Amino acid sequence: AKEEVKESSSIGKKKKKNKSSSKSKSAPAPAPVPAPTPVAVPAETNGGSNEAPAAASTSKSKKKRNKKKKAKKQEAQQQQQEFESNKDDTATPDLVDDEDDDDEDEEDQAARLLGLQVKKPKSIASSGNNDGAGAGGESSKKKKKKKKKAAAEEMKEADNGLNGDDFAQVESRSRKTKTDAAAAAVDPTIMLSIGSDPKLIIGPGGSVIQNIENTSGSKLDILKNTPVPNQNTVRITADSEQSVAQAMEMVQAILDTEAKRKANMKTVTLTSADIKGPDGVKAIIGRGGQNIKDIQARCEGVKLDANVDQGTVIVSGPKDKVDEAITLCKNAVFGETQDTMDLKTRSAVNIVFGKDFTTIRGLQNTTGAKLDIEKGGTILQFSGKAEQVMAAKEAVKELLKQCAGVIMSLKASDIGAVYGKAGANIRRIQDRTGA
């Protein structure tokens, strides 16, 4: 019996070697496990007293082995079907549990041959429900194998779907997400409304915004038409709240200064009546635009918008500077000083004009002031420097005094004779006397 046990053990070892070699190869499907070679148990020499128990034990072990063979055959067929449905999967089925079962069968057989009792595993009951408990254990193992296999297939599909570049992109996105999350946790951000003019913060050539960034160590982004059209917002970001606060303070100071400037703004329109229409506009502009440039330079912050066709000039800027610019515009048209004199009668107007306007031109040339009488009126306007206007007024008064003359009464019948035909006589007297 001992020799037969040794022979059975050597057969089991050979089966183990054959199974391990078949497992290492990538076979399309596992081969059915061969049935162990039946071993004949000889009768005992001591009178045949142990023949009946040995025969009963052998019959039970055969039944169990047949059940296990049938279950293993069904499992092998199921694995073959799964292999055919997943041809891409080259992994070999896990046969470790089957090998363990074979080892247990060989040990049980050897124990029976030696007449020993083998302790059953806890999972298998010693009652008549042994078969049912064993089937439940095998079902649980199958479920675990299926779960492991499904997880392995999913991982393999994920690995096959991503190449090296995809892994690099995934890793890069992961790093970027972590970096952005860290930055969001550390970097404070402030949004500040800056009104309708972003140039106020940008400055000439970006000088203002660059100065703010360099001084505070923050980054400023201008968001145009945000939150509504024609309104702008500046976004301030930095590594510390202190830098953001400094940048916000600098931006707010610029906005406050602009608000004060707008509160002090004034706009005045000089019409044709104020500056003598298109001619007055041309006088304000000056040759090559030099005069209007000088006015804007002298009145800082003032802007002049001249329209020759309409005969108007729009003056806008700080209140005190606008008033100064208006004076300079009128001086360009009329002179630095303006004054008027009422001549009262048409005869006085004719005296100031003189023959062919020679008298008024002489007054302008000698005094340097500008004299003008509106057509059909009696108001004489003076413009120019203060001393020029004063000299012109004195010259006109002296002229009127000299030309005051005398009043002579005539009969009504004599008026026609003095006047003459179509005024010929009176013109001849004027030419001869200058009166």
Side-chain angles (χ1 to χ4, degrees):
K2 288 181 180 180
E3 288 178 357
E4 288 178 357
V5 168
K6 287 181 181 181
E7 183 180 357
S8 174
S9 176
S10 64
I11 290 171
K13 288 180 180 180
K14 286 181 182 179
K15 284 199 293 182
K16 270 188 178 183
K17 287 183 181 180
N18 291 334
K19 286 182 181 180
S20 62
S21 62
S22 65
K23 183 178 178 182
S24 62
K25 294 179 183 179
S26 178
V33 180
T37 306
V39 180
V41 182
E44 294 288 338
T45 56
N46 53 356
S49 60
N50 292 332
E51 289 182 0
S57 175
T58 304
S59 176
K60 288 182 179 180
S61 65
K62 279 185 178 181
K63 288 182 180 180
K64 286 184 179 181
R65 282 199 299 274
N66 290 336
K67 279 186 179 182
K68 288 184 180 181
K69 285 179 185 179
K70 189 175 181 180
K72 288 175 184 179
K73 187 174 181 181
Q74 291 177 353
E75 185 177 357
Q77 290 176 354
Q78 187 176 0
Q79 289 178 352
Q80 178 68 23
Q81 291 175 358
E82 290 177 357
F83 175 81
E84 289 177 355
S85 63
N86 300 298
K87 290 184 179 181
D88 293 339
D89 187 5
T90 58
T92 58
D94 190 3
L95 302 177
V96 177
D97 294 335
D98 295 340
E99 292 176 1
D100 294 340
D101 293 340
D102 293 340
D103 292 342
E104 291 175 1
D105 293 342
E106 292 168 2
E107 291 175 0
D108 291 343
Q109 186 177 8
R112 281 195 298 272
L113 291 173
L114 296 173
L116 300 175
Q117 286 185 350
V118 180
K119 292 183 179 180
K120 299 294 183 179
K122 292 182 180 180
S123 60
I124 302 175
S126 58
S127 64
N129 296 329
N130 289 349
D131 295 341
E138 290 178 358
S139 175
S140 176
K141 288 181 181 179
K142 288 181 181 179
K143 288 182 180 179
K144 289 181 180 180
K145 288 180 184 178
K146 287 183 179 180
K147 287 182 180 180
K148 288 181 181 179
K149 187 173 181 181
E153 289 177 354
E154 290 179 359
M155 291 179 67
K156 184 175 180 181
E157 288 178 0
D159 292 342
N160 293 335
L162 293 175
N163 55 25
D165 294 338
D166 294 333
F167 278 118
Q169 291 178 3
V170 171
E171 186 177 2
S172 175
R173 284 196 294 268
S174 176
R175 289 178 182 173
K176 185 176 180 183
T177 303
K178 291 179 181 178
T179 304
D180 293 343
V186 175
D187 295 347
T189 301
I190 292 294
M191 305 289 282
L192 192 61
S193 177
I194 57 175
S196 60
D197 188 9
K199 295 180 181 178
L200 190 67
I201 304 301
I202 297 173
S207 58
V208 175
I209 194 170
Q210 288 177 4
N211 179 53
I212 296 173
E213 289 181 339
N214 294 335
T215 303
S216 64
S218 303
K219 179 176 174 56
L220 277 67
D221 296 314
I222 303 297
L223 308 178
K224 295 184 177 180
N225 297 321
T226 303
V228 294
N230 202 31
Q231 291 294 319
N232 304 282
T233 302
V234 61
R235 179 174 58 204
I236 306 173
T237 56
D239 295 334
S240 65
E241 294 182 358
Q242 184 178 0
S243 298
V244 170
Q246 185 178 3
M248 185 173 64
E249 184 178 353
M250 296 177 72
V251 171
Q252 191 62 50
I254 295 173
L255 296 176
D256 293 342
T257 302
E258 179 64 12
K260 290 179 181 178
R261 188 189 70 81
K262 286 183 177 180
N264 193 38
M265 290 288 287
K266 180 180 179 181
T267 300
V268 176
T269 301
L270 299 176
T271 63
S272 296
D274 297 325
I275 53 176
K276 297 176 62 175
D279 292 336
V281 175
K282 292 178 182 178
I284 293 171
I285 295 173
R287 181 174 294 179
Q290 187 61 44
N291 198 24
I292 195 170
K293 290 179 182 177
D294 292 341
I295 294 173
Q296 290 182 138
R298 290 180 61 180
C299 305
E300 185 179 358
V302 170
K303 181 180 179 182
L304 299 179
D305 185 8
N307 191 321
V308 177
D309 296 334
Q310 296 180 3
T312 60
V313 175
I314 300 174
V315 186
S316 59
K319 293 179 180 178
D320 54 341
K321 298 296 182 180
V322 166
D323 295 337
E324 183 180 353
I326 290 173
T327 301
L328 293 176
C329 288
K330 289 184 177 180
N331 289 346
V333 179
F334 306 109
E336 293 183 7
T337 304
Q338 291 85 38
D339 203 350
T340 59
M341 179 186 291
D342 190 1
L343 300 179
K344 296 182 180 180
T345 63
R346 288 299 303 171
S347 61
V349 172
N350 292 333
I351 291 172
V352 172
F353 277 146
K355 186 180 180 180
D356 298 328
F357 302 102
T358 55
T359 302
I360 194 170
R361 287 174 184 168
L363 291 171
Q364 290 182 142
N365 292 335
T366 56
T367 61
K370 184 177 180 180
L371 283 69
D372 189 19
I373 300 174
E374 292 184 3
K375 188 176 181 179
T378 60
I379 303 298
L380 176 60
Q381 295 178 348
F382 301 90
S383 61
K385 294 182 179 180
E387 59 273 16
Q388 292 173 345
V389 171
M390 185 65 68
K393 287 182 71 174
E394 292 297 330
V396 170
K397 288 179 181 179
E398 185 64 26
L399 175 63
L400 293 176
K401 185 178 180 180
Q402 291 176 359
C403 297
V406 294
I407 297 175
M408 185 178 182
S409 298
L410 299 174
K411 293 180 181 180
S413 59
D414 295 336
I415 292 176
V418 174
Y419 194 75
K421 188 178 181 178
N425 291 339
I426 198 169
R427 282 198 299 272
R428 187 170 61 250
I429 295 171
Q430 289 175 344
D431 291 340
R432 288 177 64 183
T433 62

